[in-house]
C-alpha cells in the first residue's frame, strides 16, 4: 500500500498526487515511469514520473483524468491508499552535454518533460523549452519549467495565453531566428510528437520522443506496448519509453492506442454513473 | 478400513488387473463456457483404489523420472492405507508445490512413463494421486509446517516468484536460511498465475501453496523488479544478501515478424493470458482491464500455451477458436491431455498451416490472416520433421483476434543490469546444469531464464538443484569466514 501524502487539483481534470514510495523516489531517473493499480479490480496504468523527493520518500504523479482509471485516481485524497505502485520502469533518458537542447511539451506531456528539462540542464546543456496547451487553463507547470530551463517559450492553440499557435510554430520561429538545437526532446500527444518530428527531420535535428502505448505488465513480458521503430518491433516498457522520433511509426501507435476505445467508453460511463462523478 | 486392508493385501497380479481410475471432469460443452477447473479430482474411494495399483517396487523407477525426486511409492502407499494427510506431508518433504504439480506436470513423460504397472497395463495415475493428497490436506486445513533448521544467519534472495524461485525458497527455508522472494507483478506465482488459466490451475491453489511457504518463513516482496528497483549487485552489496537465485522465467514473447503483426487485436499469448488470468479481463467491466472478445480467434502455435490460449478463447465467447500449427498433430509439443481437452471443447485445428501476413480494417484492427500450407521434410535440430511451405498454396483465414503462442525469449531486465553475468547466444543466463551456478560467485539461476521456455516441473527441478548448491556455498563461506 502506498499513501497519498498530498493532492492538488491543477485544472478541473489534471491532478497532482504525491505518493509514498521511498525506494522509487530514491532510484528513479529522468524519463522513467511507474505502473499503479488502485485496488483489486483496477487496471495496471503506466504514468511517467513528474518529480520525486528522496528525502520525503515521495514520487509525484501529474496526470489528466481521461479514462476510468485516471478519473478514479483523481478522486483520491491525501491520506488515501494506492494498492500497488511499481517502478522505476523503462530506460532513463540518455543524458550528456549535447550543447543546445530544445525540450518541447504539449498538454499533460509537460509533466514527464519537467524532470528531463532539469536533468538536461544539470548535464550542462543550454535548455530552450517550449510548452503549449490547447488553452490557458490547461497549461501546467509553467513556473517550475521556467525555473529549470535556460529560456522558456509558451504558446496556446487558441491564443488565450502568450503566443497563439502550436509548439511547432514556436520551434520553427526559433530555428529561423538562429537557434541551432543539437537535440530535441518532445513529449505530448502523439499527433504533436509526429508534427515535431516531421519538422525536426527537415531541420536535421535529432529528436527523442517518449511514447505511451497501452501496457500491461511493464516489464517486457507481454508485448502489449510494441511499437515499430526503424522498421523493427520494440517494447516501449523495456526498450523505451524514449525512442528516436524520426524512426517511430506514429500511425501504427495511434491505431494501437485506440484498440480499446469502445471498452474505455463503457468503463467510463459505468464509472460516471456509479460514482456520481 | 476393511476394504483398505483388503486392497493392500492383494497380490501383485490382482493389483495389476485393476483398471486405471478415470478422473471425473466437467462436461465439455458446459466447461467450454466457464472458467472453473476441468478435472474435478478423485474422491477418497477413487484415490485408494488407484493407489492400490502401485506395486511398491523395491527399486522404484518412477522417482528417477521426477525432477524434484518425490518419494512416489511411499506417498502412494500412505494413500492406499487411507493416510491422506501423511501422504501430503511426504510429498512436501521434496516438493513445495504438490497441488500445482499434480495438475500441470507432464507425468506421462516423467514419472508415469517408467511405471512398472504401465508396462502391462496403464501406469499408476501418480499425478492425480499427488493432486488428491495435496488437495485433501488443504481442504482439511491441516497444513503442517515442516521442521526448520536453526537460523544460519544467511540471507538469500529469490528473483522471481514463479515455480523455480518458490521451490528454491522452500528448500532453503527448511535449511535455516532467511529467504526473501522478489516478484515484479502484484501477485505471487509467476507463470502459475499470469499464464496457466484458472480452469487448469485455480489461483486459490497457487495462493495456498505460497501461503504455506510464507508460513514456513519466506518473506514475499511484491511489485519489486530486480534490475530496476535494486540490481543484483545492489542486493548483494547494499541489501546484504549472501546468495541470489535468479528465476525470472522466459518473460519476453516471441513474434513471427511477419507483416501486419502489430495490428490491433493481435496479442502475444503472454498478453492474452495475463489480461485474462492475472487481470481478470473476462470480468470486464466489473474488473477494469479490457480484452477484445472476438468471434473468430486464431491461436498460432502447438504447445501447451497455445492450448491454454485457444481454450480461453472459447470461454470468452468465441464462435470459432482455431489453432493454426505448421506441423501435424503428431509433432505438437502440447501434452496429449491438453490437446484432448481442447478438441473435446470444440477448438478447431488447422495443421500444416503457417501465417504469412495479416490484413486490417481502417482502424488497424486485424481482419484476416494470409496463410500457406506446409508439408513435412527431413527432421531438423529438434528431431521433428521440418515444415516446408508448399508453393502456390496460399489461402486466407478470416479472423478478428489473433494470439501468437510461438514461445518466449529471455527477458532482458536482469541480464541488462547485471554486469559480469554470462549469457548464452540466445540471451539466456549461462548456468551450470548440475548446480545452477552462474559466472558471478553466489549468484545462481534456473528455470526458463536458463533453459528457454520449458515446463513448470523442470523449473522446479532447477530450483531444487540450485538450492542444494547454494546451501553448500552458504555453509562453506561460513566456514571460510570463521577460519
Amino acid at each position: 500500500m502506498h499513501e497519498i501524502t498530498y493532492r492538488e487539483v491543477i485544472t478541473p481534470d489534471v491532478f497532482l498526487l504525491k505518493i509514498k514510495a521511498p525506494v522509487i523516489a530514491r532510484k528513479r531517473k529522468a524519463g522513467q515511469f511507474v505502473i499503479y493499480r488502485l485496488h483489486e479490480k483496477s487496471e495496471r496504468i503506466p504514468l511517467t514520473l513528474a518529480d520525486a523527493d528522496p528525502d520525503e520518500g515521495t514520487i509525484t504523479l501529474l496526470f489528466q483524468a481521461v479514462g476510468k482509471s485516471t478519473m478514479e485516481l483523481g478522486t483520491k485524497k491525501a491520506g488515501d491508499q494506492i494498492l500497488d505502485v511499481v517502478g522505476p520502469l523503462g530506460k532513463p533518458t540518455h543524458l550528456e552535454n549535447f550543447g543546445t537542447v530544445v525540450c518541447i511539451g504539449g498538454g499533460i506531456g509537460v509533466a514527464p518533460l519537467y524532470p528531463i528539462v532539469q536533468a538536461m540542464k544539470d548535464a550542462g546543456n543550454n535548455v530552450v523549452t517550449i510548452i503549449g496547451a490547447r488553452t490557458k487553463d490547461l497549461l501546467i507547470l509553467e513556473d517550475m519549467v521556467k525555473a529549470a530551463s535556460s529560456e522558456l517559450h509558451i504558446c496556446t492553440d487558441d491564443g488565450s495565453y502568450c503566443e497563439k499557435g502550436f509548439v511547432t510554430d514556436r520551434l520553427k520561429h526559433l530555428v529561423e531566428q538562429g537557434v541551432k538545437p543539437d537535440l530535441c526532446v518532445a513529449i505530448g500527444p502523439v499527433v504533436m510528437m509526429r508534427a515535431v518530428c516531421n519538422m525536426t527531420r527537415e531541420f536535421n535535428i535529432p529528436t527523442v520522443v517518449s511514447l505511451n502505448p497501452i501496457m500491461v505488465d511493464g516489464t517486457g513480458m507481454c508485448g502489449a506496448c510494441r511499437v515499430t521503430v526503424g522498421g523493427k518491433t520494440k517494447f516501449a516498457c523495456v526498450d523505451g519509453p524514449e525512442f528516436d522520433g524520426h524512426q517511430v511509426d506514429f500511425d501504427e501507435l495511434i491505431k494501437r492506442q485506440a484498440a480499446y476505445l469502445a471498452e474505455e467508453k463503457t468503463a467510463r460511463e459505468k464509472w460516471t454513473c456509479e460514482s456520481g462523478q | 478400513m476393511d476394504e483398505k486392508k483388503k486392497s493392500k493385501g492383494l497380490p501383485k497380479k490382482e493389483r495389476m488387473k485393476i483398471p486405471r481410475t478415470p478422473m471425473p471432469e466437467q462436461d465439455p460443452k458446459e466447461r467450454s463456457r466457464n472458467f472453473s477447473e476441468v478435472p474435478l479430482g478423485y474422491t477418497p474411494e477413487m484415490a485408494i483404489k488407484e493407489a492400490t495399483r502401485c506395486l511398491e517396487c523395491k527399486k522404484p523407477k518412477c522417482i528417477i523420472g521426477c525432477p524434484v525426486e518425490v518419494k512416489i511409492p511411499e506417498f502412494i502407499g500412505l494413500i492406499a492405507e487411507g493416510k491422506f494427510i501423511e501422504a501430503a506431508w511426504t510429498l512436501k518433504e521434496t516438493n513445495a508445490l504438490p497441488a500445482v504439480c499434480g495438475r500441470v506436470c507432464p507425468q506421462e513423460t516423467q514419472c508415469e512413463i517408467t511405471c512398472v504397472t504401465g508396462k502391462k497395463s496403464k501406469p499408476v495415475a501418480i499425478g492425480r494421486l499427488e493432486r488428491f493428497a495435496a488437495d485433501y490436506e488443504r481442504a482439511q486445513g491441516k497444513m503442517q509446517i515442516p521442521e526448520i533448521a536453526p537460523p544460519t544467519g544467511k540471507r538469500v534472495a529469490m528473483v522471481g516468484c514463479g515455480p523455480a524461485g518458490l521451490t528454491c525458497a522452500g528448500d532453503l527455508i527448511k535449511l535455516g536460511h532467511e529467504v526473501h522472494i522478489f516478484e515484479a507483478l502484484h501477485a505471487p506465482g509467476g507463470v502459475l498465475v499470469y499464464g496457466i488459466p484458472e480452469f487448469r490451475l485455480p489461483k486459490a491453489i497457487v495462493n495456498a501453496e505460497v501461503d504455506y511457504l510464507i508460513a514456513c518463513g519466506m518473506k514475499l516482496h511484491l511489485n519489486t523488479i530486480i534490475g530496476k528497483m535494486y540490481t543484483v549487485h545492489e542486493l548483494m552489496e547494499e541489501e546484504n544478501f549472501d546468495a541470489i537465485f535468479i528465476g525470472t522465467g522466459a518473460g519476453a514473447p516471441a513474434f513471427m515478424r511477419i507483416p501486419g503483426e502489430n495490428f490491433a487485436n493481435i496479442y502475444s499469448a503472454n498478453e492474452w493470458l495475463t489480461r485474462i488470468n492475472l487481470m481478470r479481463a473476462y470480468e470486464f467491466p466489473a474488473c477494469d482491464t479490457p480484452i477484445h472478445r472476438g468471434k473468430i480467434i486464431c491461436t498460432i502455435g502447438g504447445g501447451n500455451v497455445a492450448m491454454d490460449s485457444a481454450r480461453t478463447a472459447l470461454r470468452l465467447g468465441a464462435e470459432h477458436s482455431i489453432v493454426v500449427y505448421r506441423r501435424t498433430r503428431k509433432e505438437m509439443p502440447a501434452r496429449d491431455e491438453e490437446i484432448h481437452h481442447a478438441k473435446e471443447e470444440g477448438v478447431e485445428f488447422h495443421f500444416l498451416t503457417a501465417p504469412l501476413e495479416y490484413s486490417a480494417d481502417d482502424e488497424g484492427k486485424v481482419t484476416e490472416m494470409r496463410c500457406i500450407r506446409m508439408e513435412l521434410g527431413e527432421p531438423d535440430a529438434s528431431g521433428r520433421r521440418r515444415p516446408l511451405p508448399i508453393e502456390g498454396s496460399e489461402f486466407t483465414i478470416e479472423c478478428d483476434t489473433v494470439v501468437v503462442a510461438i514461445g518466449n525469449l529471455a527477458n532482458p531486465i536482469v541480464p541488462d543490469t547485471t554486469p559480469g553475468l554470462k549469457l548464452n547466444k540466445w540471451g539466456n543466463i549461462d548456468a551450470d546444469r548440475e548446480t545452477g551456478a552462474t559466472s558471478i560467485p553466489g549468484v545462481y539461476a534456473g528455470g526458463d531464464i536458463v533453459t528457454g521456455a520449458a515446463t513448470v516441473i523442470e523449473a522446479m527441478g532447477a530450483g531444487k538443484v540450485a538450492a542444494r548448491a547454494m546451501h553448500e556455498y552458504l555453509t562453506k563461506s561460513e566456514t571460510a569466514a570463521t577460519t
Side-chain angles (χ1 to χ4, degrees):
Chain A
M1 291 295 245
H2 298 261
E3 194 193 338
I4 296 170
T5 60
Y6 176 80
R7 174 194 193 239
E8 197 181 323
V9 182
I10 306 288
T11 76
D13 64 351
V14 173
F15 302 89
L16 183 149
L17 296 180
K18 287 189 180 182
I19 296 159
K20 205 88 182 156
V23 183
I24 302 174
R26 208 167 70 231
K27 305 259 176 163
R28 68 97 205 195
K29 294 195 173 92
Q32 290 188 300
F33 64 97
V34 294
I35 283 183
Y36 79 91
R37 196 175 70 121
L38 200 48
H39 54 74
E40 274 303 328
K41 291 185 171 180
S42 298
E43 260 187 292
R44 293 170 64 94
I45 299 287
L47 285 177
T48 311
L49 291 165
D51 207 353
D53 185 337
D55 297 330
E56 225 179 50
T58 59
I59 54 171
T60 303
L61 300 180
L62 216 167
F63 60 96
Q64 190 167 13
V66 285
K68 189 257 172 177
S69 299
T70 41
M71 286 162 83
E72 195 177 7
L73 184 64
T75 64
K76 296 295 154 188
K77 310 274 187 301
D80 288 348
Q81 304 277 341
I82 297 177
L83 182 57
D84 301 301
V85 178
V86 60
L89 295 163
K91 289 191 170 152
T93 306
H94 173 69
L95 296 170
E96 60 174 79
N97 190 344
F98 295 95
T100 294
V101 178
V102 174
C103 290
I104 303 177
I108 196 69
V110 178
L113 186 75
Y114 171 61
I116 298 171
V117 170
Q118 287 178 305
M120 284 293 180
K121 190 83 190 301
D122 290 347
N125 291 288
N126 172 41
V127 181
V128 180
T129 307
I130 304 171
I131 60 172
R134 224 167 51 236
T135 184
K136 186 186 174 193
D137 291 346
L138 300 176
L139 196 76
I140 58 168
L141 294 184
E142 180 187 341
D143 294 342
M144 287 161 79
V145 171
K146 189 173 186 178
S149 310
S150 311
E151 55 181 279
L152 175 66
H153 301 266
I154 301 172
C155 56
T156 48
D157 297 1
D158 63 358
S160 54
Y161 187 57
C162 297
E163 294 287 329
K164 180 178 192 302
F166 298 123
V167 288
T168 40
D169 299 331
R170 300 309 309 155
L171 174 65
K172 195 171 179 204
H173 181 73
L174 285 173
V175 174
E176 282 168 358
Q177 277 194 329
V179 175
K180 287 200 174 84
D182 297 289
L183 180 75
C184 173
V185 179
I187 309 182
V190 179
V191 282
M192 181 212 95
M193 292 193 284
R194 182 172 59 186
V196 169
C197 287
N198 287 340
M199 184 171 283
T200 55
R201 195 181 285 116
E202 247 173 65
F203 294 142
N204 270 326
I205 307 166
T207 301
V208 172
V209 291
S210 179
L211 304 184
N212 55 340
I214 293 168
M215 288 187 187
V216 183
D217 65 290
T219 65
M221 187 269 280
C222 86
C225 65
R226 58 195 194 275
V227 288
T228 301
V229 183
K232 287 194 177 126
T233 294
K234 299 276 178 188
F235 292 177
C237 66
V238 286
D239 301 322
E242 293 176 9
F243 293 102
D244 175 352
H246 294 160
Q247 304 280 326
V248 170
D249 184 340
F250 288 107
D251 295 343
E252 179 188 275
L253 176 62
I254 289 170
K255 285 178 174 168
R256 286 190 64 81
Q257 279 184 330
Y260 295 103
L261 280 186
E263 287 82 358
E264 284 164 19
K265 187 162 174 269
T266 305
R268 208 164 41 233
E269 284 171 359
K270 181 170 172 280
W271 157 254
T272 311
C273 176
E274 286 171 4
S275 67
Q277 295 287 321
Chain B
M1 228 24 203
D2 280 337
E3 206 213 346
K4 274 173 239 154
K5 269 186 188 159
K6 208 165 60 189
S7 337
K8 191 90 176 91
L10 278 179
K12 279 186 184 175
K13 251 190 185 171
E14 295 299 311
R15 285 196 241 171
M16 302 260 299
K17 280 187 191 160
I18 305 171
R20 181 167 154 124
T21 317
M23 176 80 109
E25 287 175 352
Q26 263 202 84
D27 177 74
K29 268 207 186 116
E30 199 172 302
R31 76 183 189 229
S32 68
R33 302 289 156 178
N34 72 45
F35 277 86
S36 306
E37 197 175 8
V38 169
L40 301 170
Y42 279 160
T43 60
E45 294 72 27
M46 289 174 186
I48 290 171
K49 191 175 164 205
E50 183 60 25
T52 313
R53 298 180 67 231
C54 177
L55 302 175
E56 292 162 70
C57 306
K58 285 217 176 72
K59 285 184 184 165
K61 291 204 169 132
C62 48
I63 300 183
I64 303 165
C66 176
V68 297
E69 301 150 25
V70 163
K71 296 172 183 170
I72 295 166
E74 196 176 312
F75 97 80
I76 293 181
L78 288 163
I79 292 179
E81 289 171 37
K83 296 177 177 166
F84 305 141
I85 298 276
E86 289 84 344
W89 293 342
T90 304
L91 278 165
K92 283 192 173 168
E93 280 176 34
T94 59
N95 184 351
L97 313 168
V100 171
C101 288
R103 287 170 166 83
V104 303
C105 269
Q107 290 96 8
E108 64 280 6
T109 59
Q110 293 179 161
C111 52
E112 293 181 12
I113 199 172
T114 51
C115 172
V116 173
T117 305
K119 297 236 157 73
K120 296 221 164 135
S121 148
K122 285 191 174 166
V124 175
I126 300 170
R128 294 171 183 177
L129 290 171
E130 179 178 32
R131 169 188 160 143
F132 168 79
D135 284 1
Y136 186 90
E137 187 206 18
R138 194 178 59 255
Q140 300 292 308
K142 286 184 182 166
M143 288 261 200
Q144 182 180 272
I145 304 301
E147 203 175 307
I148 290 176
T152 60
K154 298 288 178 186
R155 277 161 61 85
V156 288
M158 308 286 126
V159 182
C161 188
L166 287 169
T167 303
C168 191
D171 284 7
L172 289 171
I173 288 171
K174 280 190 236 164
L175 294 164
H177 305 295
E178 184 185 322
V179 177
H180 293 251
I181 193 159
F182 296 96
E183 169 55 47
L185 293 171
H186 57 257
V191 71
L192 305 175
V193 298
Y194 76 73
I196 302 177
E198 181 79 12
F199 58 82
R200 208 149 72 77
L201 178 64
K203 303 298 153 267
I205 283 160
V206 180
N207 290 338
E209 308 238 48
V210 173
D211 286 347
Y212 160 75
L213 290 170
I214 291 171
C216 292
M218 178 180 82
K219 296 189 173 58
L220 172 63
H221 305 271
L222 298 174
N223 296 314
T224 309
I225 303 176
I226 302 308
K228 293 288 177 190
M229 203 176 230
Y230 306 100
T231 64
V232 167
H233 289 289
E234 283 169 352
L235 284 179
M236 305 266 265
E237 286 144 26
E238 292 169 22
E239 305 298 320
N240 301 318
F241 284 102
D242 299 293
I244 291 170
F245 175 77
I246 303 170
T248 47
F255 286 95
M256 293 180 70
R257 300 182 186 181
I258 57 175
E261 211 171 17
N262 291 347
F263 286 138
N265 301 334
I266 300 182
Y267 296 84
S268 74
N270 281 358
E271 183 188 354
W272 178 250
L273 294 171
T274 299
R275 280 182 182 270
I276 295 159
N277 299 327
L278 181 72
M279 305 309 300
R280 289 154 53 198
Y282 60 94
E283 291 182 49
F284 179 88
C287 287
D288 293 340
T289 303
I291 193 148
H292 184 65
R293 287 175 176 259
K295 289 194 166 64
I296 307 172
I297 304 181
C298 286
T299 300
I300 318 297
N304 288 322
V305 175
M307 295 306 102
D308 285 346
S309 302
R311 295 172 70 193
T312 298
L314 287 177
R315 285 158 173 82
L316 280 182
E319 285 163 17
H320 295 279
S321 174
I322 304 165
V323 167
V324 175
Y325 181 52
R326 59 187 184 145
R327 291 179 162 106
T328 72
R329 162 76 179 78
K330 211 178 114 203
E331 289 81 22
M332 278 177 76
R335 290 180 69 192
D336 276 348
E337 186 182 315
E338 306 309 329
I339 301 167
H340 169 74
H341 278 149
K343 281 193 166 165
E344 262 189 348
E345 290 168 9
V347 171
E348 300 154 46
F349 290 82
H350 280 329
F351 293 116
L352 292 168
T353 303
L356 294 173
E357 65 175 316
Y358 300 98
S359 305
D361 61 15
D362 294 345
E363 294 178 340
K365 291 177 175 165
V366 68
T367 52
E368 61 179 33
M369 175 167 60
R370 193 158 171 70
C371 296
I372 190 162
R373 303 253 184 235
M374 311 293 274
E375 61 187 347
L376 294 181
E378 295 300 308
D380 64 9
S382 75
R384 295 176 300 174
R385 291 176 63 193
R386 186 194 300 274
L388 302 164
I390 303 172
E391 216 176 301
S393 68
E394 291 88 348
F395 69 105
T396 54
I397 302 175
E398 198 187 311
C399 57
D400 55 14
T401 308
V402 175
V403 183
V404 182
I406 59 164
N408 278 292
L409 311 166
N411 186 290
I413 292 181
V414 169
D416 281 358
T417 53
T418 314
L421 185 65
K422 213 174 138 199
L423 309 177
N424 68 18
K425 63 178 171 178
W426 297 283
N428 292 104
I429 296 175
D430 191 1
D432 188 320
R433 292 294 165 101
E434 304 293 314
T435 61
T438 69
S439 54
I440 303 174
V443 178
Y444 295 75
D448 285 1
I449 188 64
V450 171
T451 56
T455 61
V456 167
I457 188 69
E458 285 168 276
M460 292 177 61
K464 200 161 205 57
V465 160
R468 207 169 281 157
M470 288 167 83
H471 179 62
E472 196 174 310
Y473 169 83
L474 290 164
T475 43
K476 250 191 199 159
S477 60
E478 173 130 316
T479 328
T482 49
T483 49

